[in-house]
């Protein structure tokens, strides 16, 4: 891969369906935050709808951050909990199943189709545990309360990914990056004391092998 | 939403219940969830200016259709004269949605069935060039929607009165090279579809679509059927009755003095064959669409034909485009009933709003294409299932899914997909 590094942040979900809106809303908030703090060059923010859209949104980028609501069996975890997964070639872990799908094709299936078609950017999944997805209702209170944390997490993740991609590329080029094509780096922004830590204690961190590890 | 672990089935999935005795079907019920019913209540009490922001949220695949039925109906009631160029720009926006929706259906939903793949995932590994080609055309549709609507998923610029912001000629002209490329690709897609092994299932059916003497109908026109019926949006509810059936919480639509009917691309190409553009005629020929035909399995070829029409017309609209100035007309609400239909990718979409003189929606009614087709799908299955009872349950489910999938029941207008509950006696 040559040229400018590109990262696409994609929020999936529908509005007016309770916590299902968290993907696009968090991406919108992250975009607004990034714009007020000077932007994130090379990062594109997309509000998508159905998970199937991931098939063409995985094209032409070095990395993507997928943002969506997460359902867990009743009694597990708590609504508003942050979920982070590094998604390897095997796709989303089998215990992650999409619900809001078109004819059985949702985010997990869309991702698998994209992989089968040879689209292999680096993929990180970020989401919040949903409480409900009832039609016509806004975000639930615990999810709404965690929205800003998720947006902050998206920005941090985007920055880390861009840094890592830049250093991977410069390593590939023998540590001598092409001066005409400098890796995109943001000026370091001081992390506000009140801001979200990079990995809150209640974070679910998925192993690269694809197993969902429940934390918190 | 991503779901973790084992949960009860989510709302929105379809279920098919069949009870068979010998080779006779004793009972057959198709169940599909319908969110628009909820939105009708949600719209009551809202100001008319909020409607274009609310209704696109009903469907992630066809948001423009919902906006267009609502906006045109309200403009007719308020006697709004939209700025010159608005008609063409709205048509282009809607064509983008047809391209996106049709190419999604053909490549990822229908083709795996016809090619005998277990899933689109399995097909992707084997049919990569065909998928890349189809998805590139689909993406062009999405990008047109984003450029005109201001946002791809829930377009924000269409308003009662016009557009809050209209794209410049230069922005649209940038699409010409991609549209011209798509005009070539779509014929290759037609060849690909024409070569698929497609079952035949011909039975008498009443096909219903809009007709328009001036153009292939999308936003304007009256309603006609293949048996000579003719009415317009304002009398829709006198001509189409929605009946409660005991087995389903979805309403079933049927024609007055008639029965189930069939809306969608196949109905449109049948009733508007004379308005197909040259590229669309070529796509019809290559995809094996021979008109007239009531065969629901010809729907995939109809979608390819309409995609060609959409690309052809988009090129014409972009070349002749003049940005509407100003983009929006002044709107003065008045009391009364707004009723309109437009041709959503899946067929006619009816909206009706009863409005107060200060522009508040008192009552809303939305009849999406999938609810109109529901009864027809059941009727298809009643006739089709007895011919395939010798198959395994697995085969039978797949074939039933193909029958239902011909209608492309919408993601939130309808089913996610079928759970078959078959009792053989």
């Amino acid at each position: 891969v040559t040229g400018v590094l590109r990262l696409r942040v994609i929020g999936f979900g529908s509005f007016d369906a309770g916590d299902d809106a968290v993907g696009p809303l968090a991406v919108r908030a992250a975009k607004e935050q990034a714009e007020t703090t000077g932007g994130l060059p090379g990062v594109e923010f997309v509000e998508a709808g159905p998970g199937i859209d991931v098939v063409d949104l995985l094209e032409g980028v070095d990395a993507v951050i997928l943002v969506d609501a997460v359902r867990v069996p009743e009694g597990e975890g708590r609504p508003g909990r942050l979920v982070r997964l590094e998604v390897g070639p095997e796709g989303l872990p089998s215990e992650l199943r999409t619900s809001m799908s078109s004819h059985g094709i949702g985010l997990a299936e869309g991702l698998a189709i994209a992989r089968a078609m040879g689209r292999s950017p680096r993929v990180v999944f970020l989401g919040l545990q949903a409480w409900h997805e009832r039609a016509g209702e806004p975000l639930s209170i615990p999810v709404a309360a965690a929205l800003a944390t998720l947006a902050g997490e998206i920005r941090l993740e985007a920055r880390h990914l861009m840094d890592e991609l830049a250093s991977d590329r410069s390593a590939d080029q023998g540590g001598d990056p092409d001066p005409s094509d400098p890796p995109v780096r943001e000026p370091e922004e001081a992390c506000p004391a009140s801001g979200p830590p990079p990995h809150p204690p209640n974070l679910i961190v998925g192993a690269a092998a694809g197993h969902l590890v429940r934390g918190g | 939403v991503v779901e973790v672990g084992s949960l009860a089935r989510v709302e929105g999935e379809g279920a098919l219940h069949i009870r068979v005795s010998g080779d006779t079907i004793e009972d057959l019920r198709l169940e599909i969830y319908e969110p628009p019913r909820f939105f009708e209540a949600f719209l009551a009490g809202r100001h008319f200016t909020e409607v274009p922001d609310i209704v696109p949220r009903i469907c992630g695949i066809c948001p423009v259709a919902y906006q267009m039925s609502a906006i045109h109906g309200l403009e007719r009631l308020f006697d709004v004269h939209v700025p010159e160029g608005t008609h063409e720009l709205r048509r282009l926006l809607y064509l983008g949605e047809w391209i996106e929706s049709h190419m999604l259906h053909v490549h990822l939903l229908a083709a795996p069935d016809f090619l005998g793949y277990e899933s689109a995932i399995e097909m992707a590994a084997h049919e990569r060039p065909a998928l890349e080609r189809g998805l590139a055309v689909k993406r062009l549709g999405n990008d047109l929607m984003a450029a005109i609507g201001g946002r791809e998923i829930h377009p924000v610029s269409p308003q009662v009165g016009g557009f809050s912001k209209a794209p410049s000629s230069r922005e649209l002209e940038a699409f010409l090279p991609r549209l011209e490329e798509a005009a070539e690709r779509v014929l290759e897609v037609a060849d690909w579809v024409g070569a698929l092994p497609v079952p035949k299932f011909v039975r008498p059916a009443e096909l219903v679509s809009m007709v328009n003497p001036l153009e292939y109908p999308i936003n304007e026109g009256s309603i006609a059927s293949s048996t000579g019926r003719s009415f317009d949006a304002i009398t829709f509810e006198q001509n189409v009755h929605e009946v409660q059936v005991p087995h389903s919480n979805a309403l079933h639509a049927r024609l007055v003095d008639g029965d189930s009917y069939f809306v969608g691309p196949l109905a449109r190409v049948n009733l508007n064959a004379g308005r197909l553009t040259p590229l669309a005629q070529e796509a019809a020929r290559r995809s094996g669409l021979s008109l007239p035909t009531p065969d629901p399995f010809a729907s995939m070829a109809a979608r390819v034909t309409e995609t060609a029409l959409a690309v052809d017309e988009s090129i014409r609209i972009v070349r002749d485009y003049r940005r509407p100035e100003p983009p929006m007309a002044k709107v003065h609400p008045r009391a009364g009933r707004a009723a309109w239909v437009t041709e959503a990718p899946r067929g006619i979409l009816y909206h009706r709003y009863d409005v107060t003189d200060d522009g508040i929606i008192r009552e809303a009614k939305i009849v999406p294409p999938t609810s109109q087709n529901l009864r027809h799908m059941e009727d298809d299955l009643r006739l089709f299932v007895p011919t395939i009872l010798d198959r395994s349950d697995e085969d039978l489910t797949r074939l039933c899914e193909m029958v239902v999938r011909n209608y492309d029941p919408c993601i939130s207008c309808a089913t996610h997909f079928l759970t078959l509950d078959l009792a053989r006696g």
Side-chain angles (χ1 to χ4, degrees):
Chain A
V1 183
T2 57
V4 179
L5 289 167
R6 286 184 67 196
L7 167 66
R8 192 171 283 149
V9 179
I10 315 161
F12 295 91
S14 330
F15 294 95
D16 296 322
D19 295 332
D20 193 27
V22 77
L25 285 176
V27 167
R28 193 181 295 177
K31 183 183 184 195
E32 281 163 8
Q33 286 177 8
E35 279 164 359
T36 56
T37 57
L40 281 170
V43 181
E44 179 192 2
F45 294 87
V46 180
E47 292 173 32
I52 182 84
D53 282 355
V54 79
V55 179
D56 36 42
L57 289 170
L58 243 61
E59 207 193 349
V61 286
D62 300 283
V64 294
I65 300 172
L66 310 177
V67 187
D68 201 346
V70 177
R71 283 184 178 200
V72 306
E74 210 167 312
E76 282 190 31
R78 60 177 176 75
R81 184 172 55 160
L82 197 63
V83 177
R84 180 186 180 279
L85 295 164
E86 287 260 359
V87 185
E90 65 291 323
L92 284 170
S94 59
E95 61 264 53
L96 278 172
R97 287 191 301 135
T98 54
S99 57
M100 199 48 196
S101 57
S102 178
H103 304 224
I105 301 181
L107 184 53
E109 293 81 3
L111 200 53
I113 291 168
R115 297 284 204 208
M117 291 172 69
R119 293 172 187 171
S120 52
R122 192 160 160 198
V123 179
V124 172
F125 176 88
L126 282 173
L128 292 180
Q129 181 177 332
W131 188 7
H132 70 77
E133 294 91 43
R134 281 193 290 274
E137 295 200 15
L139 292 181
S140 68
I141 289 168
V143 169
L147 185 66
T149 305
L150 176 59
E153 194 65 23
I154 291 169
R155 275 193 315 136
L156 287 171
E157 190 72 55
R159 185 159 311 188
H160 288 154
L161 271 174
M162 288 301 273
D163 284 351
E164 282 186 27
L165 289 168
S167 73
D168 288 354
R169 179 173 302 176
S170 102
D172 287 350
Q173 293 167 350
D176 186 15
D178 180 357
S180 67
D181 180 21
V184 181
R185 272 184 203 279
E186 273 289 271
E188 271 313 309
E189 177 196 342
C191 189
S194 61
H199 295 294
N202 60 352
L203 182 67
I204 301 174
V205 182
H211 297 295
L212 191 67
V213 181
R214 296 197 168 84
Chain B
V1 174
V2 169
E3 190 175 302
V4 183
S6 56
L7 270 186
R9 292 199 164 277
V10 293
E11 60 189 9
E13 293 202 28
L16 175 61
H17 307 275
I18 308 176
R19 198 170 68 237
V20 181
S21 173
D23 52 4
T24 316
I25 294 188
E26 290 194 331
D27 189 27
L28 187 148
R29 295 175 284 131
L30 180 63
E31 285 174 13
I32 285 174
Y33 169 77
E34 291 182 295
R37 306 296 169 193
F38 158 77
F39 276 86
E40 292 172 344
F42 195 52
L43 285 158
R46 306 282 181 150
H47 194 250
F48 78 89
T49 50
E50 294 179 80
V51 175
D53 297 326
I54 294 171
V55 293
R57 298 172 179 201
I58 297 174
C59 178
I61 306 278
C62 54
V64 170
Y66 282 88
Q67 282 181 320
M68 290 297 120
S69 285
I71 287 172
H72 282 90
L74 290 164
E75 284 174 353
R76 168 60 61 87
L77 173 64
F78 301 155
D79 197 21
V80 177
H81 295 273
V82 295
E84 200 175 331
T86 306
H87 167 89
E88 296 291 270
L89 189 57
R90 285 178 174 167
R91 189 171 174 86
L92 184 61
L93 174 64
Y94 216 142
L95 291 167
E97 182 163 285
W98 278 19
I99 293 170
E100 163 258 334
S101 176
H102 285 351
M103 289 293 94
L104 171 68
H105 180 87
V106 166
H107 289 88
L108 290 179
L109 308 179
D113 287 339
F114 291 109
L115 286 166
Y117 290 108
E118 191 57 42
S119 67
I121 301 165
E122 192 190 284
M123 190 184 93
H126 295 94
E127 305 280 339
R128 187 175 160 184
L131 270 189
E132 292 285 4
R133 181 180 61 207
L135 292 175
V137 179
K138 173 191 175 286
R139 174 73 9 216
L140 171 62
N142 290 92
D143 291 346
L144 273 172
M145 287 166 74
I148 302 165
R151 200 190 288 158
E152 181 183 315
I153 296 306
H154 302 121
V156 287
S157 63
Q159 301 293 333
V160 180
F163 282 86
S164 57
K165 184 174 176 292
S168 67
S169 306
R170 189 177 300 170
E171 282 172 84
L172 291 188
E173 276 162 15
F175 280 96
L176 276 176
R178 287 176 69 192
L179 283 164
E180 280 156 5
E181 162 93 15
E184 292 174 27
R185 295 292 89 81
V186 75
L187 291 179
E188 296 168 15
V189 175
D191 287 334
W192 185 65
V193 166
L196 294 178
V198 176
K200 284 220 175 300
F201 177 53
V202 177
R203 59 114 163 165
E206 185 160 4
L207 287 79
V208 174
S209 87
M210 289 168 70
V211 289
N212 181 325
L214 301 174
E215 59 188 14
Y216 198 84
I218 297 181
N219 277 315
E220 293 98 357
S222 59
I223 302 162
S225 89
S226 55
T227 60
R229 209 178 283 264
S230 173
F231 55 99
D232 56 23
I234 209 78
T235 59
F236 184 89
E237 290 173 56
Q238 280 98 68
N239 283 280
V240 172
H241 284 179
E242 288 194 290
V243 289
Q244 191 78 52
V245 288
H247 65 258
S248 169
N249 50 14
L251 296 170
H252 278 200
R254 64 171 181 79
L255 290 162
V256 153
D257 307 323
D259 205 345
S260 63
Y261 62 102
F262 182 1
V263 302
L266 189 71
R268 285 194 293 260
V269 293
N270 268 285
L271 285 150
N272 298 280
R275 315 228 161 270
L276 292 174
T277 64
L279 190 71
Q281 289 173 31
E282 179 68 9
R285 195 182 62 73
R286 295 212 205 169
S287 59
L289 180 67
S290 143
L291 295 171
T293 175
D295 182 353
F297 284 109
S299 295
M300 192 159 45
R303 287 189 181 91
V304 177
T305 300
E306 285 198 335
T307 304
L309 176 123
V311 169
D312 219 5
E313 285 220 13
S314 297
I315 292 172
R316 176 186 62 76
I317 293 172
V318 168
R319 282 193 180 134
D320 297 344
Y321 176 68
R322 292 237 179 95
R323 185 186 212 156
E325 284 293 348
M328 262 180 64
K330 284 219 173 357
V331 179
H332 304 286
R334 65 163 77 138
R337 168 166 289 192
W340 203 264
V341 292
T342 66
E343 284 286 358
R346 294 162 180 79
I348 54 175
L349 168 63
Y350 172 74
H351 282 223
R352 185 255 292 164
Y353 300 93
D354 291 331
V355 188
T356 65
D357 55 10
D358 46 3
I360 304 294
I361 308 299
R362 277 199 305 112
E363 189 181 290
K365 184 171 181 64
I366 295 173
V367 185
T370 295
S371 343
Q372 297 176 69
N373 280 332
L374 194 53
R375 195 180 180 90
H376 207 265
M377 293 178 215
E378 271 195 6
D379 288 351
D380 272 4
L381 289 166
R382 275 192 198 96
L383 293 167
F384 191 69
V385 169
T387 67
I388 53 168
L389 276 175
D390 54 332
R391 308 290 189 97
S392 67
D393 285 12
E394 195 184 317
D395 260 13
L396 204 130
T397 304
R398 192 178 63 85
L399 287 163
C400 288
E401 279 192 340
M402 287 172 74
V403 169
V404 175
R405 190 125 53 199
N406 286 325
Y407 296 83
D408 192 14
C410 162
I411 163 176
S412 56
C413 301
T415 181
H416 287 271
F417 226 42
L418 285 186
T419 306
L420 178 70
D421 160 28
L422 175 69
R424 295 188 197 251

